[in-house]
Amino acid sequence: MVNFGYGLTPSSAVKIIEGEDKLYRKLCEMEPDVKKCMACGSCAASCTAGDFTEMNLRKLILSLQRGYYQQALPMVKNCMLCGKCNIVCPRGINTRHLIMSIQKIYNL
Amino acid sequence: MTKNVVVIGGGASGIEASRRLRDLGYSPVLVEKEDHLGGHLASWNRLFPQMIPAKDILKSLTSDMKGIEVFLNTEVISINRLKDSYVVKFSNGLSAQVKAILITTGFTLFPAQKKQEYGYGIYDRVITNADLEAWFNGNKDKRVTDPQVIGFVHCVGSRDEKAGNRQCSKVCCATAVKQAIEIKEKFPDAVVYCFYMDLRMFGRGYEDMYLKAQKDYGIRFLRGRVSEVSEDINGRLVVKADDTLLGKPVKISMDLLVLMSGMIAPESNMELSKMLKVLPGEDGFFSPANAISNPTLSNRDGVFFAGAATGPKTMPETLSEGRAAALEIDSYLKRVGD
Ligand SMILES: Cc1cc2nc3c(=O)[nH]c(=O)nc-3n(C[C@H](O)[C@H](O)[C@H](O)COP(=O)(O)OP(=O)(O)OC[C@H]3O[C@@H](n4cnc5c(N)ncnc54)[C@H](O)[C@@H]3O)c2cc1C
Ligand code: SF4
């Protein structure tokens, strides 16, 4: 192959394939409240682990909704299940229970 | 007394409707529980987006009240149906027999101290949108002293199931942007943040106001709900939020925090709705029989609504509904024969 001095970089765009993500649908069945998230970030702002680790529940929920979970799931191990996010969620989502369900469904 | 109409609530909507009814030949009785007319309009300084002084609007509204019986410091104590009319008894000992009642009870501001995590009434530098309007109106306030960093918290007590209010209050995004501009005019060196979740700039000229806030005033818009506020050893506020666009939690030290308290239904609506047998919605505001085709009609003959009594509204919307209700009452009374 002739070397032209440049190459192709794989696209970094998130590829969203509608209807493909069975796991997220299963999560919705188990935790229907996950659909109520409006991404305000109250959970992430109050998170005791968030200052020191990648843990960010708002980001995690969004990533799961987009079917983009491989990159996002590792953050869950930082959660200490303290439940502070549970107190602040303005949509009344039982976030602590949601996190445990995520652990279960995605085999963490 | 048959050409009377009772109007309950002497805010912008009640005043405008009473004046129009008077112009149509009726003798309205306007009942206000406070000692002055104007409702919330009487507490504001300038109105978005044109920045028109609130006192000018109030002055022109109340300039000609001839032919309107105004009862201040008065509430309704009972309403009884008598054939096709209503007998309304007032706390001042008087009563009226009318065929039409207009509800213009407006809203009350969400009591910000209920969101304890924001520290209103606990920390010295936390105020509300209403406190800031009062300060713009010249009221002294020790909490506002040469702030270097100022924050506006959107959706306080709105869009919040735990505060018992799911609804969006509609006007507080525009109010926050307006007040951010105004405070920056007073303290040009201050850094001003708005913490929002969605910016609801729905009206004509609102988006321009937002653009002006960014471009001409350098207001910083941070997308994230404030989760909690604390005080450091020097008495400065520490505000925590998730910068959701950056994807990182942030902490900002501030000298002044303004809480955008939302609109909630007045508690006395429950009492009134029992007397009138009109059901309020789940949010406590009155529900028109058909909110799209005619928001001034209730599900009961002779009972009408206008203004923020049926949910959050802007001032021009409120005034238009006052006029619409007057026309609707006129057609109704012509139909049933006054
Ligand atoms: C912080 C803030 C800033 C705002 N700024 C703007 C702005 O810049 N531009 C704009 O277009 N809109 C603005 N608005 C919206 C505006 O205030 C409302 O549209 C308007 O006040 C609604 O008028 P109203 O007459 O329906 O209700 P209100 O102003 O609430 O008046 C209702 C009146 O009824 C009385 N009342 C209530 N219950 C009873 C009872 N049971 N018996 C007797 N009397 C009773 C009350 O005492 C009150 O006087 C703002 C709102 C807020 C919260
Ligand atoms: S208008 Fe804006 S600040 Fe007010 S409740 Fe709605 S989104 Fe929140």
Side-chain angles (χ1 to χ4, degrees):
Chain A
M1 240 234 291
V2 188
N3 184 356
F4 290 107
Y6 61 86
L8 285 177
T9 320
S11 165
S12 64
V14 180
K15 208 168 163 191
I16 299 171
I17 303 166
E18 219 66 65
E20 190 196 51
D21 191 6
K22 289 197 188 76
L23 289 177
Y24 179 67
R25 265 186 280 158
K26 202 165 151 198
L27 180 64
C28 288
E29 271 167 37
M30 208 158 158
E31 295 281 345
D33 273 5
V34 70
K35 293 184 276 186
K36 296 197 330 194
C37 175
M38 59 176 160
C40 71
S42 299
C43 50
S46 63
C47 178
T48 37
D51 281 1
F52 311 100
T53 71
E54 287 300 301
M55 183 60 200
N56 183 321
L57 182 57
R58 173 195 59 76
K59 226 162 152 181
L60 177 65
I61 292 174
L62 194 65
S63 306
L64 298 183
Q65 285 170 345
R66 301 279 194 269
Y68 194 58
Y69 48 82
Q70 284 87 350
Q71 286 83 341
L73 282 174
M75 70 168 79
V76 180
K77 69 175 185 303
N78 300 308
C79 171
M80 299 174 286
L81 292 172
C82 73
K84 258 189 108 179
C85 47
N86 221 348
I87 300 169
V88 293
C89 176
R91 283 270 167 98
I93 302 172
N94 187 340
T95 51
R96 195 172 176 279
H97 200 267
L98 170 66
I99 292 169
M100 292 194 292
S101 295
I102 292 172
Q103 286 172 329
K104 195 164 165 188
I105 290 176
Y106 293 85
N107 290 322
L108 300 173
Chain B
M1 287 279 272
T2 50
K3 276 197 78 108
N4 280 359
V5 175
V6 167
V7 181
I8 307 172
S13 52
I15 300 172
E16 183 64 7
S18 301
R19 281 164 45 117
R20 299 291 165 151
L21 283 165
R22 186 261 331 264
D23 294 347
L24 289 163
Y26 299 93
S27 318
V29 178
L30 178 57
V31 194
E32 168 56 53
K33 67 174 161 54
E34 302 296 329
D35 62 2
H36 61 274
L37 287 180
H40 287 90
L41 178 62
S43 310
W44 306 154
N45 178 243
R46 288 191 293 173
L47 302 180
F48 61 75
Q50 293 88 356
M51 301 296 202
I52 297 170
K55 70 170 181 334
D56 291 359
I57 308 269
L58 185 59
K59 208 168 141 195
S60 71
L61 269 178
T62 50
S63 61
D64 176 20
M65 299 292 283
K66 249 198 325 273
I68 303 166
E69 183 93 67
V70 179
F71 294 160
L72 295 177
N73 300 308
T74 307
E75 280 175 67
V76 169
I77 36 179
S78 71
I79 301 174
N80 288 308
R81 191 86 161 127
L82 196 80
K83 278 196 211 146
D84 60 351
S85 59
Y86 294 94
V87 178
V88 187
K89 284 209 172 95
F90 305 110
S91 57
N92 61 5
L94 299 171
S95 62
Q97 185 175 344
V98 293
K99 284 190 177 163
I101 295 175
L102 175 61
I103 313 276
T104 48
T105 48
F107 66 98
T108 41
L109 273 184
F110 174 79
Q113 58 274 16
K114 274 198 185 172
K115 290 288 291 178
Q116 214 178 31
E117 59 269 41
Y118 292 163
Y120 184 67
I122 302 172
Y123 306 132
D124 289 338
R125 303 177 190 217
V126 183
I127 66 173
T128 65
N129 42 5
D131 295 335
L132 190 55
E133 287 297 310
W135 186 77
F136 287 141
N137 271 331
N139 284 23
K140 296 248 176 309
D141 195 327
K142 277 206 295 267
R143 296 168 295 184
V144 189
T145 29
D146 197 24
Q148 312 289 305
V149 186
I150 304 166
F152 286 84
V153 184
H154 291 225
C155 309
V156 174
S158 305
R159 308 178 66 190
D160 188 339
E161 299 212 355
K162 285 178 183 148
N165 306 303
R166 214 160 47 221
Q167 78 272 12
C168 161
S169 295
K170 186 172 179 174
V171 300
C172 21
C173 272
T175 303
V177 175
K178 179 201 79 133
Q179 292 188 335
I181 290 176
E182 290 174 304
I183 200 126
K184 184 79 181 167
E185 281 171 347
K186 302 274 183 193
F187 303 106
D189 296 330
V191 180
V192 183
Y193 288 92
C194 281
F195 295 90
Y196 71 99
M197 294 194 287
D198 302 283
L199 266 188
R200 300 196 161 159
M201 295 288 137
F202 56 93
R204 188 178 185 200
Y206 295 16
E207 189 69 18
D208 287 341
M209 189 169 70
Y210 172 30
L211 180 64
K212 192 164 97 174
Q214 292 179 287
K215 192 165 66 79
D216 300 339
Y217 291 87
I219 311 293
R220 300 178 187 184
F221 289 88
L222 195 151
R223 191 195 174 281
R225 191 179 192 121
V226 171
S227 73
E228 60 194 292
V229 180
S230 52
E231 212 175 42
D232 71 12
I233 191 76
N234 304 312
R236 281 191 103 195
L237 299 168
V238 181
V239 177
K240 279 172 80 175
D242 180 33
D243 187 330
T244 60
L245 299 179
L246 206 60
K248 287 253 182 292
V250 292
K251 270 188 200 171
I252 309 178
S253 293
M254 303 210 158
D255 309 294
L256 181 67
L257 195 67
V258 188
L259 308 181
M260 306 313 293
S261 282
M263 289 186 179
I264 58 172
E267 243 172 69
S268 60
N269 276 7
M270 279 318 279
E271 204 67 32
L272 265 182
S273 62
K274 267 186 226 144
M275 289 187 220
L276 286 163
K277 301 190 177 61
V278 289
L279 285 179
E282 200 192 333
D283 56 9
F285 289 104
F286 289 102
S287 299
N290 188 327
I292 290 181
S293 65
N294 195 335
T296 68
L297 294 184
S298 76
N299 54 0
R300 247 194 134 198
D301 281 349
V303 180
F304 300 83
F305 304 128
T310 53
K313 293 200 179 74
T314 63
M315 191 53 71
E317 288 167 339
T318 293
L319 293 171
S320 302
E321 268 191 19
R323 283 165 217 139
L327 265 187
E328 205 56 60
I329 291 172
D330 181 48
S331 329
Y332 172 77
L333 292 178
K334 281 186 175 133
R335 209 162 55 238
V336 299
D338 53 33

